[in-house]
Amino acid sequence: MHLPETVLHLRRETPQDREFLARLYRSTRDDLPLLPAAILENLLAMQFHAQQAGHRQQYPDAEFCIIETNREPSGCIAVHRGAEEIRLVNLALLPEVRNRGHGRSLVRSLQAEADAAGKRLTLSVSSQNAGAQRLYAALGFDIVNDSVTYREMVWLPQHPS
């Protein structure tokens, strides 16, 4: 049996992607307690806006992209390339495309870029996101700071310059 090959494509985020990004953000927040729908929607909208504003304020020159799987929006990735490090600011995939190796592939690509540049690759992951933590640990990231809400992780280049 031959399965069709999945084609991943990255494109720059545009203002037209806002509705998709809000839907994607909601899909990543299964950690929230059960609340009445109206309260939950308002909370998620506020948190989404805060996340978007915070990432753009903290990393104004980061590259914000939409991940497309077979030409359909399926996630987002934001990467900041600094003088000393490459920072994975955000990586999120819709539930229906998770656990297919897409996130792993994108992170490995960033590791190859960081390795070639002799830079460390850093990220923060939610303490609630056990799946992402397992992925990053399997890819060689180490925890360098651990708090109640986030774990700061780093991957060091194999061929430092």
Side-chain angles (χ1 to χ4, degrees), residues 38-80:
I39 294 172
L40 183 60
E41 283 305 310
N42 285 335
L43 177 63
L44 288 170
M46 287 187 315
Q47 289 180 341
F48 169 69
H49 176 72
Q51 181 198 55
Q52 294 284 302
H55 286 166
R56 281 159 179 76
Q57 182 179 2
Q58 192 169 3
Y59 303 101
D61 57 347
E63 183 178 20
F64 293 88
C65 292
I66 297 297
I67 302 165
E68 292 182 334
T69 305
N70 297 328
R71 298 283 177 207
E72 291 296 320
S74 59
C76 69
I77 186 169
V79 179
H80 176 262

Tab-separated table of all heavy atoms in Angstrom, residues 38-80:
chain	number	residue	atom	x	y	z
A	38	ALA	N	-19.154	31.081	27.195
A	38	ALA	CA	-18.912	32.512	26.977
A	38	ALA	C	-17.670	32.978	27.734
A	38	ALA	O	-16.858	33.733	27.203
A	38	ALA	CB	-20.135	33.324	27.405
A	39	ILE	N	-17.514	32.522	28.962
A	39	ILE	CA	-16.338	32.907	29.758
A	39	ILE	C	-15.078	32.331	29.133
A	39	ILE	O	-14.063	33.012	29.001
A	39	ILE	CB	-16.501	32.447	31.223
A	39	ILE	CG1	-17.650	33.218	31.880
A	39	ILE	CG2	-15.209	32.626	32.001
A	39	ILE	CD1	-18.017	32.713	33.259
A	40	LEU	N	-15.133	31.053	28.739
A	40	LEU	CA	-13.975	30.403	28.131
A	40	LEU	C	-13.561	31.109	26.840
A	40	LEU	O	-12.377	31.367	26.624
A	40	LEU	CB	-14.272	28.935	27.861
A	40	LEU	CG	-13.117	28.118	27.288
A	40	LEU	CD1	-11.921	28.116	28.231
A	40	LEU	CD2	-13.562	26.689	27.008
A	41	GLU	N	-14.513	31.442	25.985
A	41	GLU	CA	-14.192	32.126	24.724
A	41	GLU	C	-13.551	33.481	24.976
A	41	GLU	O	-12.591	33.853	24.305
A	41	GLU	CB	-15.438	32.259	23.842
A	41	GLU	CG	-15.809	30.977	23.144
A	41	GLU	CD	-14.671	30.372	22.312
A	41	GLU	OE1	-14.049	31.092	21.501
A	41	GLU	OE2	-14.381	29.178	22.487
A	42	ASN	N	-14.080	34.239	25.947
A	42	ASN	CA	-13.488	35.544	26.276
A	42	ASN	C	-12.069	35.381	26.816
A	42	ASN	O	-11.169	36.134	26.447
A	42	ASN	CB	-14.352	36.304	27.284
A	42	ASN	CG	-15.596	36.874	26.653
A	42	ASN	OD1	-15.636	37.114	25.445
A	42	ASN	ND2	-16.619	37.082	27.461
A	43	LEU	N	-11.878	34.396	27.684
A	43	LEU	CA	-10.554	34.135	28.248
A	43	LEU	C	-9.565	33.750	27.151
A	43	LEU	O	-8.452	34.279	27.087
A	43	LEU	CB	-10.640	33.021	29.301
A	43	LEU	CG	-9.321	32.575	29.926
A	43	LEU	CD1	-8.672	33.708	30.703
A	43	LEU	CD2	-9.545	31.362	30.822
A	44	LEU	N	-9.977	32.843	26.270
A	44	LEU	CA	-9.096	32.418	25.179
A	44	LEU	C	-8.774	33.577	24.236
A	44	LEU	O	-7.632	33.707	23.783
A	44	LEU	CB	-9.721	31.255	24.411
A	44	LEU	CG	-9.734	29.921	25.141
A	44	LEU	CD1	-10.591	28.911	24.394
A	44	LEU	CD2	-8.324	29.399	25.337
A	45	ALA	N	-9.747	34.420	23.950
A	45	ALA	CA	-9.507	35.574	23.076
A	45	ALA	C	-8.487	36.521	23.703
A	45	ALA	O	-7.575	36.997	23.023
A	45	ALA	CB	-10.817	36.300	22.784
A	46	MET	N	-8.618	36.773	25.009
A	46	MET	CA	-7.663	37.651	25.700
A	46	MET	C	-6.263	37.033	25.708
A	46	MET	O	-5.273	37.717	25.457
A	46	MET	CB	-8.124	37.930	27.131
A	46	MET	CG	-9.296	38.879	27.221
A	46	MET	SD	-9.729	39.395	28.903
A	46	MET	CE	-9.672	37.883	29.840
A	47	GLN	N	-6.186	35.730	25.997
A	47	GLN	CA	-4.884	35.072	26.050
A	47	GLN	C	-4.232	35.017	24.668
A	47	GLN	O	-3.020	35.200	24.548
A	47	GLN	CB	-5.015	33.670	26.646
A	47	GLN	CG	-5.309	33.692	28.124
A	47	GLN	CD	-5.424	32.296	28.703
A	47	GLN	OE1	-5.635	31.315	28.004
A	47	GLN	NE2	-5.292	32.199	30.023
A	48	PHE	N	-5.014	34.770	23.640
A	48	PHE	CA	-4.494	34.759	22.277
A	48	PHE	C	-3.926	36.126	21.930
A	48	PHE	O	-2.803	36.235	21.428
A	48	PHE	CB	-5.586	34.358	21.279
A	48	PHE	CG	-5.203	34.583	19.839
A	48	PHE	CD1	-4.222	33.808	19.241
A	48	PHE	CD2	-5.816	35.574	19.092
A	48	PHE	CE1	-3.851	34.013	17.913
A	48	PHE	CE2	-5.459	35.789	17.771
A	48	PHE	CZ	-4.474	35.006	17.180
A	49	HIS	N	-4.678	37.171	22.209
A	49	HIS	CA	-4.207	38.531	21.914
A	49	HIS	C	-2.919	38.830	22.687
A	49	HIS	O	-1.965	39.383	22.128
A	49	HIS	CB	-5.290	39.557	22.255
A	49	HIS	CG	-4.850	40.958	22.065
A	49	HIS	ND1	-4.668	41.525	20.822
A	49	HIS	CD2	-4.513	41.908	22.968
A	49	HIS	CE1	-4.240	42.772	20.959
A	49	HIS	NE2	-4.142	43.024	22.251
A	50	ALA	N	-2.877	38.454	23.956
A	50	ALA	CA	-1.687	38.695	24.779
A	50	ALA	C	-0.480	37.933	24.232
A	50	ALA	O	0.635	38.469	24.187
A	50	ALA	CB	-1.954	38.300	26.228
A	51	GLN	N	-0.687	36.680	23.812
A	51	GLN	CA	0.414	35.899	23.261
A	51	GLN	C	0.953	36.546	21.984
A	51	GLN	O	2.153	36.710	21.817
A	51	GLN	CB	-0.019	34.466	22.956
A	51	GLN	CG	1.119	33.624	22.389
A	51	GLN	CD	0.639	32.375	21.675
A	51	GLN	OE1	-0.175	32.461	20.758
A	51	GLN	NE2	1.147	31.235	22.112
A	52	GLN	N	0.040	36.898	21.081
A	52	GLN	CA	0.448	37.509	19.814
A	52	GLN	C	1.214	38.809	20.054
A	52	GLN	O	2.286	39.014	19.487
A	52	GLN	CB	-0.786	37.782	18.937
A	52	GLN	CG	-1.502	36.537	18.462
A	52	GLN	CD	-0.760	35.855	17.343
A	52	GLN	OE1	-0.520	36.457	16.309
A	52	GLN	NE2	-0.382	34.622	17.550
A	53	ALA	N	0.675	39.670	20.910
A	53	ALA	CA	1.323	40.952	21.201
A	53	ALA	C	2.668	40.739	21.901
A	53	ALA	O	3.664	41.393	21.562
A	53	ALA	CB	0.401	41.816	22.064
A	54	GLY	N	2.698	39.801	22.838
A	54	GLY	CA	3.936	39.541	23.573
A	54	GLY	C	5.054	39.034	22.681
A	54	GLY	O	6.202	39.498	22.772
A	55	HIS	N	4.738	38.085	21.803
A	55	HIS	CA	5.763	37.562	20.896
A	55	HIS	C	6.299	38.654	19.984
A	55	HIS	O	7.503	38.747	19.747
A	55	HIS	CB	5.198	36.429	20.035
A	55	HIS	CG	5.001	35.161	20.791
A	55	HIS	ND1	4.252	34.128	20.293
A	55	HIS	CD2	5.442	34.733	21.996
A	55	HIS	CE1	4.247	33.119	21.155
A	55	HIS	NE2	4.955	33.474	22.195
A	56	ARG	N	5.415	39.499	19.463
A	56	ARG	CA	5.841	40.547	18.540
A	56	ARG	C	6.597	41.664	19.248
A	56	ARG	O	7.482	42.267	18.664
A	56	ARG	CB	4.640	41.081	17.766
A	56	ARG	CG	4.277	40.128	16.653
A	56	ARG	CD	2.844	40.277	16.168
A	56	ARG	NE	2.577	39.342	15.085
A	56	ARG	CZ	2.364	38.055	15.231
A	56	ARG	NH1	2.403	37.521	16.432
A	56	ARG	NH2	2.133	37.260	14.209
A	57	GLN	N	6.259	41.907	20.494
A	57	GLN	CA	6.980	42.921	21.255
A	57	GLN	C	8.367	42.418	21.656
A	57	GLN	O	9.349	43.132	21.528
A	57	GLN	CB	6.189	43.326	22.495
A	57	GLN	CG	6.857	44.414	23.305
A	57	GLN	CD	6.035	44.813	24.513
A	57	GLN	OE1	4.972	44.269	24.791
A	57	GLN	NE2	6.535	45.781	25.260
A	58	GLN	N	8.438	41.179	22.123
A	58	GLN	CA	9.708	40.640	22.596
A	58	GLN	C	10.641	40.278	21.447
A	58	GLN	O	11.860	40.380	21.579
A	58	GLN	CB	9.467	39.409	23.469
A	58	GLN	CG	10.698	38.971	24.224
A	58	GLN	CD	10.382	37.930	25.282
A	58	GLN	OE1	9.252	37.477	25.441
A	58	GLN	NE2	11.395	37.531	26.022
A	59	TYR	N	10.084	39.846	20.306
A	59	TYR	CA	10.887	39.427	19.156
A	59	TYR	C	10.372	40.130	17.892
A	59	TYR	O	9.816	39.495	16.999
A	59	TYR	CB	10.805	37.908	18.982
A	59	TYR	CG	11.244	37.147	20.209
A	59	TYR	CD1	10.314	36.595	21.084
A	59	TYR	CD2	12.599	37.011	20.505
A	59	TYR	CE1	10.718	35.912	22.216
A	59	TYR	CE2	13.007	36.327	21.639
A	59	TYR	CZ	12.062	35.784	22.495
A	59	TYR	OH	12.468	35.111	23.617
A	60	PRO	N	10.544	41.455	17.805
A	60	PRO	CA	9.958	42.205	16.683
A	60	PRO	C	10.489	41.798	15.311
A	60	PRO	O	9.781	41.963	14.310
A	60	PRO	CB	10.294	43.662	17.003
A	60	PRO	CG	11.452	43.602	17.944
A	60	PRO	CD	11.303	42.317	18.702
A	61	ASP	N	11.685	41.267	15.254
A	61	ASP	CA	12.238	40.879	13.950
A	61	ASP	C	12.193	39.369	13.714
A	61	ASP	O	12.858	38.848	12.820
A	61	ASP	CB	13.661	41.414	13.775
A	61	ASP	CG	14.613	40.951	14.868
A	61	ASP	OD1	14.140	40.410	15.894
A	61	ASP	OD2	15.830	41.135	14.704
A	62	ALA	N	11.383	38.666	14.510
A	62	ALA	CA	11.227	37.223	14.309
A	62	ALA	C	10.484	36.965	13.003
A	62	ALA	O	9.765	37.822	12.489
A	62	ALA	CB	10.466	36.598	15.475
A	63	GLU	N	10.672	35.761	12.495
A	63	GLU	CA	9.963	35.319	11.302
A	63	GLU	C	8.729	34.548	11.757
A	63	GLU	O	8.833	33.523	12.417
A	63	GLU	CB	10.890	34.420	10.472
A	63	GLU	CG	10.310	33.963	9.185
A	63	GLU	CD	11.292	33.116	8.390
A	63	GLU	OE1	12.265	32.579	8.983
A	63	GLU	OE2	11.080	32.992	7.187
A	64	PHE	N	7.550	35.069	11.436
A	64	PHE	CA	6.275	34.461	11.807
A	64	PHE	C	5.690	33.811	10.562
A	64	PHE	O	5.386	34.503	9.588
A	64	PHE	CB	5.304	35.511	12.365
A	64	PHE	CG	5.754	36.094	13.682
A	64	PHE	CD1	6.586	37.199	13.718
A	64	PHE	CD2	5.362	35.520	14.879
A	64	PHE	CE1	7.007	37.741	14.933
A	64	PHE	CE2	5.775	36.046	16.096
A	64	PHE	CZ	6.604	37.154	16.120
A	65	CYS	N	5.551	32.487	10.595
A	65	CYS	CA	5.095	31.749	9.415
A	65	CYS	C	3.901	30.856	9.733
A	65	CYS	O	3.729	30.405	10.864
A	65	CYS	CB	6.221	30.863	8.866
A	65	CYS	SG	7.583	31.794	8.151
A	66	ILE	N	3.144	30.589	8.690
A	66	ILE	CA	2.067	29.611	8.739
A	66	ILE	C	2.623	28.315	8.162
A	66	ILE	O	3.292	28.323	7.119
A	66	ILE	CB	0.845	30.076	7.907
A	66	ILE	CG1	0.256	31.355	8.499
A	66	ILE	CG2	-0.210	28.973	7.812
A	66	ILE	CD1	-0.303	31.226	9.895
A	67	ILE	N	2.371	27.217	8.838
A	67	ILE	CA	2.741	25.896	8.350
A	67	ILE	C	1.557	25.384	7.552
A	67	ILE	O	0.426	25.369	8.054
A	67	ILE	CB	3.045	24.927	9.516
A	67	ILE	CG1	4.161	25.477	10.400
A	67	ILE	CG2	3.379	23.530	8.982
A	67	ILE	CD1	4.266	24.790	11.748
A	68	GLU	N	1.809	24.990	6.328
A	68	GLU	CA	0.760	24.404	5.505
A	68	GLU	C	1.094	22.939	5.274
A	68	GLU	O	2.241	22.594	5.001
A	68	GLU	CB	0.648	25.120	4.163
A	68	GLU	CG	0.149	26.539	4.289
A	68	GLU	CD	-0.016	27.241	2.958
A	68	GLU	OE1	0.679	26.867	1.986
A	68	GLU	OE2	-0.841	28.166	2.889
A	69	THR	N	0.089	22.092	5.409
A	69	THR	CA	0.214	20.673	5.102
A	69	THR	C	-0.651	20.421	3.886
A	69	THR	O	-1.863	20.623	3.939
A	69	THR	CB	-0.266	19.815	6.291
A	69	THR	OG1	0.459	20.215	7.458
A	69	THR	CG2	-0.029	18.336	6.043
A	70	ASN	N	-0.006	20.023	2.819
A	70	ASN	CA	-0.720	19.821	1.550
A	70	ASN	C	-1.560	21.046	1.183
A	70	ASN	O	-2.710	20.952	0.813
A	70	ASN	CB	-1.574	18.549	1.590
A	70	ASN	CG	-0.706	17.314	1.765
A	70	ASN	OD1	0.430	17.271	1.299
A	70	ASN	ND2	-1.234	16.324	2.450
A	71	ARG	N	-0.948	22.227	1.358
A	71	ARG	CA	-1.522	23.536	0.978
A	71	ARG	C	-2.640	24.034	1.880
A	71	ARG	O	-3.275	25.028	1.583
A	71	ARG	CB	-1.977	23.548	-0.482
A	71	ARG	CG	-0.870	23.330	-1.462
A	71	ARG	CD	-0.084	24.598	-1.606
A	71	ARG	NE	1.059	24.379	-2.512
A	71	ARG	CZ	2.162	25.074	-2.434
A	71	ARG	NH1	2.300	26.013	-1.545
A	71	ARG	NH2	3.151	24.841	-3.269
A	72	GLU	N	-2.892	23.354	2.998
A	72	GLU	CA	-3.906	23.788	3.956
A	72	GLU	C	-3.209	24.258	5.238
A	72	GLU	O	-2.308	23.575	5.728
A	72	GLU	CB	-4.869	22.646	4.294
A	72	GLU	CG	-5.769	22.238	3.157
A	72	GLU	CD	-6.720	23.334	2.740
A	72	GLU	OE1	-7.261	24.047	3.626
A	72	GLU	OE2	-6.913	23.503	1.520
A	73	PRO	N	-3.622	25.399	5.806
A	73	PRO	CA	-3.013	25.845	7.061
A	73	PRO	C	-3.174	24.774	8.147
A	73	PRO	O	-4.268	24.265	8.365
A	73	PRO	CB	-3.801	27.105	7.426
A	73	PRO	CG	-4.421	27.564	6.156
A	73	PRO	CD	-4.657	26.317	5.344
A	74	SER	N	-2.065	24.429	8.770
A	74	SER	CA	-2.111	23.382	9.786
A	74	SER	C	-1.350	23.752	11.052
A	74	SER	O	-1.363	22.994	12.013
A	74	SER	CB	-1.555	22.069	9.219
A	74	SER	OG	-0.222	22.248	8.786
A	75	GLY	N	-0.680	24.900	11.051
A	75	GLY	CA	0.066	25.295	12.232
A	75	GLY	C	0.768	26.612	12.029
A	75	GLY	O	0.579	27.292	11.013
A	76	CYS	N	1.579	26.962	13.017
A	76	CYS	CA	2.384	28.178	12.912
A	76	CYS	C	3.734	27.933	13.567
A	76	CYS	O	3.887	27.054	14.418
A	76	CYS	CB	1.676	29.367	13.556
A	76	CYS	SG	1.539	29.286	15.350
A	77	ILE	N	4.698	28.713	13.108
A	77	ILE	CA	6.030	28.670	13.694
A	77	ILE	C	6.585	30.093	13.678
A	77	ILE	O	6.375	30.835	12.716
A	77	ILE	CB	6.970	27.682	12.949
A	77	ILE	CG1	8.315	27.541	13.675
A	77	ILE	CG2	7.124	28.070	11.488
A	77	ILE	CD1	9.178	26.394	13.167
A	78	ALA	N	7.224	30.470	14.770
A	78	ALA	CA	7.883	31.771	14.870
A	78	ALA	C	9.312	31.522	15.327
A	78	ALA	O	9.544	30.795	16.299
A	78	ALA	CB	7.150	32.675	15.849
A	79	VAL	N	10.257	32.125	14.590
A	79	VAL	CA	11.670	31.906	14.872
A	79	VAL	C	12.391	33.247	14.905
A	79	VAL	O	12.231	34.067	13.988
A	79	VAL	CB	12.322	31.000	13.798
A	79	VAL	CG1	13.807	30.796	14.084
A	79	VAL	CG2	11.597	29.659	13.722
A	80	HIS	N	13.173	33.459	15.955
A	80	HIS	CA	14.019	34.656	16.058
A	80	HIS	C	15.468	34.220	15.894
A	80	HIS	O	15.924	33.307	16.594
A	80	HIS	CB	13.823	35.331	17.416
A	80	HIS	CG	14.719	36.495	17.623
A	80	HIS	ND1	15.893	36.411	18.323
A	80	HIS	CD2	14.618	37.775	17.187
A	80	HIS	CE1	16.481	37.599	18.324
A	80	HIS	NE2	15.722	38.433	17.643
